[in-house]
Each structure stands twice: as C-alpha cells, then as structure tokens.
Amino acid sequence: MSSGSRPTQQAIMSNGESPAAPAHPVAAAAPPNRVSVVLGAQWGDEGKGKVVDLLAQDADIVCRCQGGNNAGHTVVVDSVEYDFHLLPSGIINPNVTAFIGNGVVIHLPGLFEEAEKNLKKGQGLGGWENRLAISDRAHIVFDFHQAADGIQEQQRQEQAGKNLGTTKKGIGPVYSSKAARSGLRMCDLVSDFNEFSKRFEVLAKQYKSMYPSLEINIEGELDKLKDYAEKVRPMVKDGVYFIHEALHGTPKKILVEGANAALLDIDFGTYPFVTSSNCTVGGVCTGLGIPPQSIGDVYGVVKAYTTRVGIGAFPTEQNNEIGDILQTRGHEFGVTTGRKRRCGWLDLVLLRFAHMINGFTALALTKLDILDVFTEIKVGVSYKLDGVKIPHFPANQEVLNRVEVEYETLPGWKSDTSNTRTFEDLPENAKKYVHFVEESLGIPIKWIGVGKSRESMIQCF
Ligand code: GDP
Ligand code: IMO
Ligand code: MG
C-alpha cells in the first residue's frame, strides 16, 4: 500500500473511529486499568500465593503469564495447605476462571499431578478442568528438558566448580528451545499430531546429540503426549482472543499472578543466578498479549526480611544465629524443591531497584510475625563498595558479592502479632517498622501478613 492511500491520524480522529471496521469484536484498543498484577519484589517466595488468594475473592479471571512449575505458591484455606506450581493459585476460588498465558512453559505431567494432589487435599479445586484455559501459544516442557536441566547443572559443577541451583524443572532448556525456534507449543500438540511427532523427534534428537547420556524413548514419549493432547484439548484456546474478550466484554476483573521475582528476572535479576523469564511487569504484556494501558494496579509482594533459595549474591544474608532464627521461625524451605532458604535482613537498595522496574502502586508486606522475637531489627539502606557509597544496585555479581551493606537499626516489638487484624492494634514498634519501609520506598503498604492463613492479613486501606 502506498503511503498516500493510508488513513491519516486526522481522518481517524475526525470520525471518532478508524475507517477500517475491526475484523473481530475485540480488535480495538483494550480499556485501561482492567488488570491487577501481583509480583514478587525480592528473590521469590514472598507470599504471592497468599496475596493472590486474597485478591481472587473479588476476581473473575486469574492468570499466570511467565515461568513454569519452578514456582511454588502456598495458599492456606480452612487449615488446608495447597501448593501451586503451574496452576494459578486463584483457582482455589470456585468462581474463578484460571488462565495460563503464552509466556508460561507447561510440563503436562506436572500440571495433572499438581491438580490431582490438590484435589485430594480439599474442596477448593472442584471442577478445575472446566475452569482452566491454556494459551495455544504456550510452550511445552518435555521430560528431556528437565533431564537436560539436571545434566547442565552437573556440568557446571564439574567444569566451573559451582552450579546455578536451578529447580531442575527444565526451565532454562525449554526457554532456550523457544528462543532457538525449535520449541513446540500447545497449538502444535492439539492440531496435527503427525506434524507434532516429526518436530518432537527432531528436537529430541538435537537434545540427544547435545547430551549423549540422555535416554529418550521417542515412541514412548509420543504415546504419552498423545494422551495428554486429548486431555488438554478442551482447555486450549487462542490466548490473545480469550483475554481480550474478557477485557472488552462485560467488565471482568482480571488478576495476574507473577511467578518467581524481580531479582530472578532474566534481564534485571542477579544474572546468571536467575530464572529464564521476565518476572517483572513487562512479562505481563508479553506473556498474555495485553497492552500496557490495560494494567492498573501493580502490587509488589515483599517479605518483611529477605530469603533466597539457590546460589547467588545476597548482600544482607545473615549466616549466623539471626539467619537461623528467621529460617526456623519462617519455616523457610522451598515449596518446589524442599531446599532450605537462605535468610537475611530486608534490603531497601534491592527493593528500590525492583520498584524502578515495576512501578509498584502498593505493597503487601508479608511475614511480619516472623520478626516478633527480635530485640533489634536491621534494615539494609545503602551499599558501599571499597568504602565508597554506590548509588545503584550493581549488575555484576562479583561486585554485588563485595558490597558492604549499611544498616539502620530499628527497635523490635517482642510480642505476638499473629492474632492482630488491624493496623492500629499492632505494637508501636511494629507500626514504626512498617512506616519506615513505606517512607523509605515511597510506596504505600496496603496489606501486612501476620500468619499463613487467609485471615492472617491486615488490610491497611
Ligand atoms: P510464593 O512463592 O511467593 O507464593 O511464596 P511461598 O508459598 O513459596 O512461600 C511463602 C511461605 O510463607 C508459605 O509457606 C506461606 O504459607 C507463608 N506465608 C505467607 N504469608 C505469611 C505471613 O504473613 N506470615 C507467615 N508466618 N507465613 C506466611
Ligand atoms: P516462586 O514463584 C524462589 C530460583 C531457583 C534458582 C534460580 C533458577 O515460588 O517465588 P530455575 O529452575 O528457574 O531455572 O532456577 O531461580 N527460583 C526460585 N526461587 N522462588 C521461586 O518461585 C523460584 N523460581 C526459580 O532456586 O536459584
Ligand atoms: Mg514460592
């Protein structure tokens, strides 16, 4: 088309609409601020599952947009502890439709095992198959991706003396296949199985040549995948149209459950000790196919101290009795791998960096109750390198390993907050701690977590 025949911006504006009628009822700009987002602001396990569960009481659709079953999100309802890895946690609410977007990587056996396990625990997951939609553009994690993840870790250990500490869920390998354009998607699985089988064989052989010790029974794998294709076919939708129909029709409340966290983001995290997806706000748009204007609130979830599972720099880590108290009181064990989480004080430098990227509109400060026993509580407020204050969160891991943290010391409250349900009823020093975090970051704290259960949350405004 020559530039002369294109509709001008003025022509579009003067008619009030584009001369070309939209080809689909939703093929127009999405209404603004319809989508709320929950994101991890540290190194994961901040309590996103619990915050999502709370917000899902008032949501129609809860989405995952990135990551895979490396995530482990806990929801405690009526004393039953559910753990979600691929399924959006909001599915526990019977009125919610769950959606797994195109940015997520799906291990099908893992998905069904997770659903079965949670179904046995309580009522929450009833009818889940009819309440789950999966994007046809989501990539599939195969068993050989998971096995290759394990081999890569072993090779790193043998060749460089240290690994990344991955969850071995195949996340790095499957996102590599996606970027290399040799991955397979849900739409491939549920359409022409012969074509899918040919591409599966090519990919499996590539993996076998990269990792000769891999044992892949191609025929056997394809038999299993054919069964999964039948099971998931009714759930697979064109994800972009699915989410846009929800955006455009009768107003629906859409909630996005971030997995992993800002400092594990492939671009902004503590690379290479990160995961392989964008766990910051940009991943919401690319992982669901929605424009940025449709995003309203972006809630950051911040643990009242810091934890990290796996390898990598951790400036405020407390490799001492304080770390042990946080680990024991906080039951800090990974939900996906069962590994002990490393623990330390809250780090405001890291949180400011996460806020720059995500633009949090409010925070949920979780696990305040874990700090109940301390006489003094420290908060990392700035970093020094070779004795000189540095104004930023460094990209380079060797540098981050060398920073010296400057702390502010606040008085503890030494009393049980677990039954507190209003901000006013918190001990004075706990209020001071919350205000200090809020004022230092310039972000309002909307919720404060004081226990595992759905009820153990203080709503501040
Ligand atoms: P997620 O990955 O961000 O969803 O967090 P995880 O589920 O991996 O880890 C958070 C852990 O802390 C879970 O065991 C939660 O049940 C628990 N938890 C969440 N919020 C609170 C809180 O405010 N207080 C206490 N004591 N535990 C909490
Ligand atoms: P949730 O959603 C904590 C960490 C792993 C490892 C690194 C890379 O529960 O907060 P991967 O398997 O993704 O290649 O591992 O990232 N990691 C997490 N740590 N919580 C998570 O998710 C994590 N997802 C990945 O421990 O260090
Ligand atoms: Mg977790």
Side-chain angles (χ1 to χ4, degrees):
M1 191 189 285
S2 77
S3 60
S5 66
R6 297 179 65 212
T8 61
Q9 187 65 21
Q10 201 181 10
I12 295 171
M13 303 290 280
S14 62
N15 292 344
E17 58 178 19
S18 164
H24 184 277
V26 299
N33 308 334
R34 282 276 176 88
V35 179
S36 301
V37 178
V38 172
L39 296 174
Q42 294 155 312
W43 275 294
D45 308 322
E46 298 89 350
K48 297 176 289 293
K50 187 178 147 189
V51 176
V52 165
D53 171 57
L54 188 83
L55 292 172
Q57 314 296 311
D58 192 31
D60 298 296
I61 300 181
V62 181
C63 317
R64 277 279 305 270
C65 63
Q66 43 70 228
N69 59 355
N70 53 348
H73 297 180
T74 316
V75 177
V76 180
V77 184
D78 298 334
S79 308
V80 180
E81 188 161 320
Y82 299 88
D83 58 307
F84 296 104
H85 302 270
L86 263 168
L87 287 167
S89 306
I91 201 165
I92 203 80
N93 180 335
N95 301 319
V96 154
T97 298
F99 176 53
I100 298 182
N102 58 278
V104 179
V105 290
I106 302 174
H107 182 247
L108 287 161
L111 177 70
F112 283 91
E113 272 165 33
E114 172 182 340
E116 290 303 319
K117 196 171 78 174
N118 281 311
L119 261 175
K120 284 192 193 127
K121 289 186 185 173
Q123 301 297 313
L125 238 70
W128 72 276
E129 293 105 321
N130 303 322
R131 294 193 285 118
L132 176 67
I134 301 176
S135 170
D136 52 355
R137 291 177 172 85
H139 278 250
I140 304 171
V141 182
F142 298 115
D143 287 348
F144 61 75
H145 283 125
Q146 297 198 334
D149 195 348
I151 296 173
Q152 287 178 355
E153 282 287 80
Q154 201 182 334
Q155 288 178 346
R156 287 180 190 115
Q157 188 65 45
E158 285 164 8
Q159 291 160 16
K162 63 177 173 192
N163 57 27
L164 297 184
T166 76
T167 59
K168 299 191 185 154
K169 297 292 179 186
I171 304 301
V174 73
Y175 279 113
S176 303
S177 296
K178 177 177 176 176
R181 286 131 321 152
S182 37
L184 283 144
R185 304 189 293 176
M186 296 304 296
C187 56
D188 305 314
L189 178 71
V190 299
S191 38
D192 180 345
F193 198 76
N194 277 338
E195 188 55 35
F196 175 87
S197 305
K198 282 187 217 154
R199 286 179 53 197
F200 177 85
E201 192 168 340
V202 171
L203 185 60
K205 285 184 175 162
Q206 274 177 8
Y207 265 80
K208 181 80 188 147
S209 67
M210 281 191 289
Y211 306 105
S213 64
L214 265 186
E215 284 172 22
I216 313 177
N217 172 355
I218 293 180
E219 287 302 309
E221 288 296 314
L222 281 169
D223 282 347
K224 282 191 253 169
L225 285 160
K226 199 165 190 182
D227 289 344
Y228 281 117
E230 296 317 309
K231 285 169 94 169
V232 290
R233 182 170 286 113
M235 304 175 199
V236 178
K237 314 272 180 233
D238 185 308
V240 176
Y241 286 91
F242 173 84
I243 199 77
H244 279 260
E245 265 149 28
L247 277 172
H248 285 265
T250 333
K252 289 222 167 59
K253 284 205 176 153
I254 302 173
L255 179 64
V256 181
E257 173 174 356
N260 328 123
L263 275 298
L264 292 172
D265 182 285
I266 181 82
D267 284 286
F268 304 112
T270 44
Y271 194 92
F273 304 103
V274 293
T275 189
S276 301
S277 67
N278 283 116
C279 331
T280 45
V281 72
V284 176
C285 293
T286 57
L288 293 173
I290 59 170
Q293 307 91 302
S294 59
I295 298 175
D297 279 309
V298 179
Y299 299 123
V301 188
V302 175
K303 203 178 273 189
Y305 48 99
T306 312
T307 61
R308 176 163 203 176
V309 58
I311 319 293
F314 182 172
T316 60
E317 182 169 18
Q318 297 298 301
N319 243 328
N320 50 33
E321 199 195 339
I322 287 165
D324 292 344
I325 295 172
L326 291 170
Q327 201 278 327
T328 313
R329 282 187 55 78
H331 305 286
E332 297 293 354
F333 291 98
V335 179
T336 302
T337 59
R339 289 177 291 176
K340 241 185 187 184
R341 296 175 184 146
R342 299 153 63 196
C343 297
W345 295 121
L346 194 70
D347 183 339
L348 295 178
V349 183
L350 170 165
L351 288 170
R352 281 190 204 104
F353 179 67
H355 179 43
M356 282 171 77
I357 298 160
N358 288 315
F360 298 128
T361 54
L363 299 179
L365 185 72
T366 61
K367 301 191 103 164
L368 189 76
D369 54 304
I370 304 306
L371 300 179
D372 285 351
V373 293
F374 292 102
T375 311
E376 286 186 335
I377 299 168
K378 290 190 175 191
V379 179
V381 290
S382 56
Y383 291 168
K384 272 184 165 177
L385 189 66
D386 302 326
V388 180
K389 212 177 246 191
I390 54 168
H392 59 277
F393 185 79
N396 181 288
Q397 292 315 282
E398 277 67 47
V399 174
L400 190 60
N401 264 321
R402 285 201 300 116
V403 298
E404 203 186 306
V405 182
E406 294 187 301
Y407 289 97
E408 188 92 23
T409 303
L410 283 88
W413 44 92
K414 303 236 0 149
S415 57
D416 182 4
T417 57
S418 63
N419 293 314
T420 313
R421 293 293 175 266
T422 64
F423 186 77
E424 289 64 39
D425 290 342
L426 276 174
E428 279 314 306
N429 285 346
K431 286 185 201 166
K432 277 188 192 153
Y433 186 77
V434 174
H435 280 311
F436 179 76
V437 175
E438 198 165 44
E439 280 158 22
S440 306
L441 295 173
I443 318 168
I445 292 177
K446 189 162 179 167
W447 300 277
I448 300 167
V450 290
K452 275 175 165 259
S453 74
R454 201 181 248 179
E455 296 72 36
S456 310
M457 196 70 135
I458 298 171
Q459 174 134 14
C460 304
F461 60 92

